[in-house]
Amino acid sequence: MLKELRIDGAQREDRDSGPPRWVLGLLAGVAVLALAGGGAWWLHASSRPVAVQTVTARANGQGPSADAVLQATGYVTARRMATVSAQITGTLTEVLIDEGFKVRKGQVLARLDDTGLKAGLAAAEAQVRSAEANVAQLRAQLAQAQADARRQTELAASGMTTHQAQELAATSVKTVGAQLEAALRQIDAVQAQARQARVNFDYATVRAPFDGVVTARAAQVGEIISPLSAGGGFTRTGVGTIVDMESLEVNVDVNEAYIAQVKPDMPCEAVLDAYPDWRIPAHVLAVIPSA
């Protein structure tokens, strides 16, 4: 800094146009003393640990803050952000979002072509109804077989029928009962298939996973989207990107010499370049000790 006080010969003014040489010498001496005193104070202060009480994080900022002990420059990011996609491969028939839209959890964002899925769901539900009808028929047959078995038992006790007829009636009851049990297991199976078909059908509707704001729309009506990248780059892997504005944070880089002074939950203040008069109260979430 002392070297910056030197004036080159080419920049010196004529003696007659400026103050006397002794005045300049006196001013230079005062400046040197002031700088020396400031340097001594700075050396004395720097020998003590830096007491970091406030961290001012500037989003790509330039100007220093008057009351900040430690400053760091960073960027505003979102801790909770998701690129929403469908869980199946299909063709988009509706896209109901655009950049800047506010969405709620569960809100419909897009729909895929569900013609085949709807037909599969209808077939599964028809199988359930058929199995239920079969169960009802077998229950009626079982009731009739049980009634016949009781009559044969009464007739056998009075000697009006043969023992063989009584055994045939009892066997008929067991047979219909076994058929009914198999039908009940069958209805469980077709109901599970119907639930799977209903889940696949619901996959054709893309919904918001959480409340947020749409920051990007990645697909248009008529495009094919898939949860996996396929087709040589012609298949979209997402409908759009949603950001939870309640999870915003500022990621900053702190010099290694001061990182030990920053602690979690320490109060800090964020100032954005776009709104220099808006001081946002915040606190330190975490310190990531990476080089």
Side-chain angles (χ1 to χ4, degrees):
M1 295 180 66
L2 294 178
K3 292 181 180 180
E4 294 179 1
L5 296 177
R6 295 179 180 177
I7 301 177
D8 297 335
Q11 297 178 349
R12 295 182 183 273
E13 297 180 356
D14 187 71
R15 293 183 180 180
D16 297 336
S17 61
R21 182 185 297 270
W22 66 271
V23 175
L24 294 177
L26 178 60
L27 293 177
V30 172
V32 170
L33 289 176
L35 289 174
W41 174 85
W42 180 82
L43 290 175
H44 176 69
S46 62
S47 62
R48 299 194 304 267
V50 180
V52 179
Q53 298 177 354
T54 303
V55 179
T56 297
R58 288 184 173 273
N60 201 17
Q62 299 294 334
S65 176
D67 58 349
V69 178
L70 175 63
Q71 287 188 343
T73 302
Y75 299 92
V76 179
T77 61
R79 180 174 291 243
R80 195 178 187 190
M81 180 174 61
T83 299
V84 184
S85 179
Q87 299 190 41
I88 59 174
T89 302
T91 303
L92 282 171
T93 58
E94 281 186 285
V95 179
L96 306 176
I97 59 172
D98 211 336
E99 288 86 352
F101 279 25
K102 294 182 178 180
V103 296
R104 294 290 183 181
K105 181 179 180 179
Q107 180 177 337
V108 177
L109 306 181
R111 289 188 175 90
L112 304 179
D113 183 13
D114 58 0
T115 305
L117 298 174
K118 185 181 296 183
L121 177 59
E125 291 177 344
Q127 291 179 357
V128 171
R129 291 191 296 268
S130 177
E132 290 175 346
N134 187 32
V135 167
Q137 180 182 0
L138 290 174
R139 282 176 175 168
Q141 293 178 1
L142 179 60
Q144 182 62 43
Q146 289 172 345
D148 293 342
R150 287 193 298 270
R151 283 192 294 270
Q152 289 296 330
T153 301
E154 294 174 357
L155 292 174
S158 61
M160 298 180 63
T161 184
T162 62
H163 185 67
Q164 182 180 5
Q166 182 183 3
E167 291 178 349
L168 289 175
T171 302
S172 178
V173 171
K174 294 179 180 179
T175 302
V176 177
Q179 292 176 353
L180 177 59
E181 186 67 21
L184 291 174
R185 301 288 77 79
Q186 179 65 24
I187 198 172
D188 290 341
V190 295
Q191 285 178 347
Q193 293 176 358
R195 287 192 297 269
Q196 181 63 44
R198 193 172 294 108
V199 169
N200 292 336
F201 179 74
D202 291 338
Y203 284 161
T205 303
V206 182
R207 302 181 184 274
F210 50 80
D211 298 348
V213 176
V214 179
T215 59
R217 173 176 171 172
Q220 304 292 336
V221 174
E223 291 185 315
I224 297 177
I225 64 172
S226 173
L228 302 176
S229 179
F234 297 101
T235 302
R236 300 290 185 182
T237 56
V239 177
T241 301
I242 298 179
V243 173
D244 182 6
M245 291 301 177
E246 299 297 329
S247 67
L248 293 182
E249 62 185 18
V250 180
N251 291 334
V252 299
D253 293 330
V254 179
N255 190 285
E256 182 184 0
Y258 303 103
I259 191 65
Q261 307 297 330
V262 182
K263 305 295 183 183
D265 297 328
M266 179 182 292
C268 57
E269 195 175 67
V271 180
L272 307 178
D273 282 349
Y275 305 96
D277 297 331
W278 180 25
R279 299 185 177 276
I280 307 171
H283 65 277
V284 179
L285 289 175
V287 180
I288 304 174
S290 60

